[in-house]
Amino acid sequence: MDEESASRALIIVDVQPTFCEGGALAVDGGNATAERIADFVTDNADEYALIVTTQDWHINPGKHFSDEPDFVDTWPPHGVAGTPEAELHEAVASLPIDVSVKKGEYAAAYSGFEGTDADGRTLEDVLRDADIRAIDVVGIAESHCVKETALDGLKAGWPVRVFSDLTVPTSEELGEEARAEMDEAGVEQLPSSEAFGFYEEGEDVAIPGDDDGYGDDGYGAERDGSDSGSDGSFYGDDFDGAYADSADEFDDDLFGDDDADEFDDDAADDDFDDEDFSNLNPPTDLASRITSGLFGPGGTGRSGGDVDVDLEADFDIDEDADFSDEVSEEDFDFSDIDFDPREL
C-alpha cells in the first residue's frame, strides 16, 4: 500500500435491498450498481486504508415516512431496522468492510455523516481516528444519500471523489441536478476506471515531463503510450498519414498522370542510343586503382578493400637516388624571425 492508499477511505452508501429492484424504495439499476461496486472493491481493496458502509436503519424517522409520500421530502417506509431489506446487499456484505455505520433511526438522515458505528462514533470520528486524508464515495442513490454524504465530507475538510459508474440516481433529472451541485461544491466526479494511476498495466506511455518524446505536439503520435506509428515509424500514425497525403499531393502537383506521360515521351529510349557515355565507365588509370583499393570491396576505406599497387612498377623508383645536396642547414635557420609568444 502506497502513501496515498494508506490515507484514503471508501464509503459505500446505502447499498441495501430496500433501494434495489424488488425493494420498498427501488431505484432502477440498483442491483447492477451493487455488483459493480463489489467488483471494484474486489479489485482495489488494497488501495484503501479503510472501507466503510452506511445503511438506512429507520426505527421511527417521523415525517420522513408517509402513507402518501411526495418522493421529495416524504417517502414510503423503507430500510426499516431489523428487516432483511435494511441489511447490506448480498453483493456487498461479503466485502472486506472495516466499519459499518447506521443512520436515520429517528430522523431522515440522508448523509452518512449523520450515522454512528457500533461504538457510537460518528462517521467523521471514524475517519479521523484512521487518519484518513481523502474520501471516495459510491452507492445509492446518487441524487440523495450519495450526494449528501459527499458534500458533508467536503465540508468536513476532506477532498472527495464520487465514481460516476458506481452510483445511480432516483431519476435522471435529479441525477443531473445532483451532479451539478457536487461539481459546483468541488466534489471530483470521475469513472472508477480512472481512480488509480494514469495508465493501465502493460500500457506503454510517455513519462510525464519527458521532453524526449514527440507525442501530441504536432508530430502525430498522441501521448497514448506510443512514440511510434503502427507501422513502426517513430512519429506515429497521424504523422505517417499526413506525410502520405502530402506525398500524394506532391506527386500530383509535380508528376501528375499527364505530366508523367509527357516526361516519358520526352525521354524516350532512342534519345540515349547515340550518346557517348564512355566517361561513365570505371577509369583504369593509377589514381582510380588506388581509390578503388581504398574504397572498394575488402579495403580499408568506407567500403573496405586492400590497396593493390606495385610502387616500384608503377612509379619507377630509383632506390639509390640521393637528394642530400639539395638541402643545406641554412634552409632550417629561423633566427632572423622576430617572434614574441606573449603576443598570441
Side-chain angles (χ1 to χ4, degrees):
M1 182 181 294
D2 59 26
E3 183 177 352
E4 182 180 0
S5 301
S7 60
R8 182 174 291 277
L10 176 67
I11 302 175
I12 303 173
V13 176
D14 297 0
V15 183
Q16 304 166 258
T18 196
F19 297 121
C20 298
E21 290 84 348
L25 195 55
V27 176
D28 289 341
N31 284 322
T33 300
E35 295 291 344
R36 288 196 298 272
I37 291 172
D39 291 341
F40 173 79
V41 174
T42 298
D43 293 339
N44 297 282
D46 291 342
E47 301 289 347
Y48 294 100
L50 191 70
I51 297 177
V52 182
T53 59
T54 73
Q55 294 166 257
D56 261 6
W57 199 254
H58 296 307
I59 296 175
N60 183 11
K63 294 181 179 180
H64 186 59
F65 282 174
S66 173
D67 293 333
E68 298 179 355
D70 60 15
F71 294 94
V72 176
D73 297 312
T74 60
W75 308 87
H78 60 275
V80 176
T83 65
E85 278 197 358
E87 300 296 334
L88 290 173
H89 192 286
E90 61 180 4
V92 172
S94 59
L95 297 176
I97 298 166
D98 298 301
V99 179
S100 294
V101 169
K102 293 180 172 64
K103 60 186 176 66
E105 288 92 337
Y106 302 102
Y110 292 102
S111 171
F113 283 86
E114 298 179 67
T116 58
D117 69 356
D119 297 326
R121 297 181 300 168
T122 65
L123 177 55
E124 182 173 351
D125 291 336
V126 169
L127 298 174
R128 298 203 184 282
D129 288 347
D131 195 26
I132 295 302
R133 305 295 178 84
I135 297 171
D136 294 339
V137 182
V138 300
I140 306 171
E142 177 186 33
S143 50
H144 292 78
C145 296
V146 167
K147 178 194 73 174
E148 296 300 330
T149 300
L151 293 176
D152 278 356
L154 199 66
K155 292 175 184 176
W158 283 284
V160 179
R161 304 189 301 181
V162 171
F163 298 143
S164 55
D165 57 321
L166 301 183
T167 186
V168 62
T170 57
S171 71
E172 185 53 37
E173 180 181 359
L174 292 177
E176 290 178 1
E177 293 177 3
R179 289 188 287 274
E181 186 176 350
M182 288 189 288
D183 185 63
E184 183 176 354
V187 174
E188 183 180 3
Q189 300 172 76
L190 69 162
S192 61
S193 60
E194 299 177 8
F196 306 108
F198 59 89
Y199 63 91
E200 297 290 337
E201 182 178 357
E203 184 181 0
D204 183 16
V205 300
I207 298 173
D210 183 359
D211 295 330
D212 293 335
Y214 287 91
D216 201 18
D217 58 1
Y219 287 98
E222 296 182 359
R223 293 190 184 276
D224 59 355
S226 172
D227 59 0
S228 64
S230 59
D231 59 355
S233 63
F234 180 80
Y235 296 102
D237 295 338
D238 292 343
F239 180 86
D240 294 340
Y243 180 84
D245 292 342
S246 298
D248 290 341
E249 293 176 5
F250 176 81
D251 289 343
D252 292 341
D253 293 340
L254 186 59
F255 296 111
D257 292 340
D258 295 337
D259 294 337
D261 291 340
E262 293 176 5
F263 180 82
D264 289 342
D265 293 339
D266 292 341
D269 291 341
D270 293 341
D271 295 338
F272 299 96
D273 288 344
D274 299 330
E275 296 292 337
D276 181 8
F277 297 104
S278 59
N279 63 323
L280 299 180
N281 293 328
T284 58
D285 56 14
L286 177 60
S288 67
R289 291 171 60 189
I290 294 175
T291 305
S292 176
L294 289 175
F295 299 103
T300 58
R302 181 177 301 178
S303 300
D306 297 326
V307 178
D308 184 15
V309 179
D310 186 343
L311 295 179
E312 292 185 4
D314 292 328
F315 290 95
D316 191 20
I317 297 174
D318 184 356
E319 295 181 356
D320 298 326
D322 183 3
F323 301 98
S324 60
D325 293 339
E326 299 180 9
V327 180
S328 66
E329 294 182 359
E330 294 177 357
D331 294 330
F332 297 94
D333 182 6
F334 304 104
S335 60
D336 59 339
I337 298 176
D338 185 11
F339 170 71
D340 185 353
R342 292 174 297 178
E343 295 179 356
L344 294 177

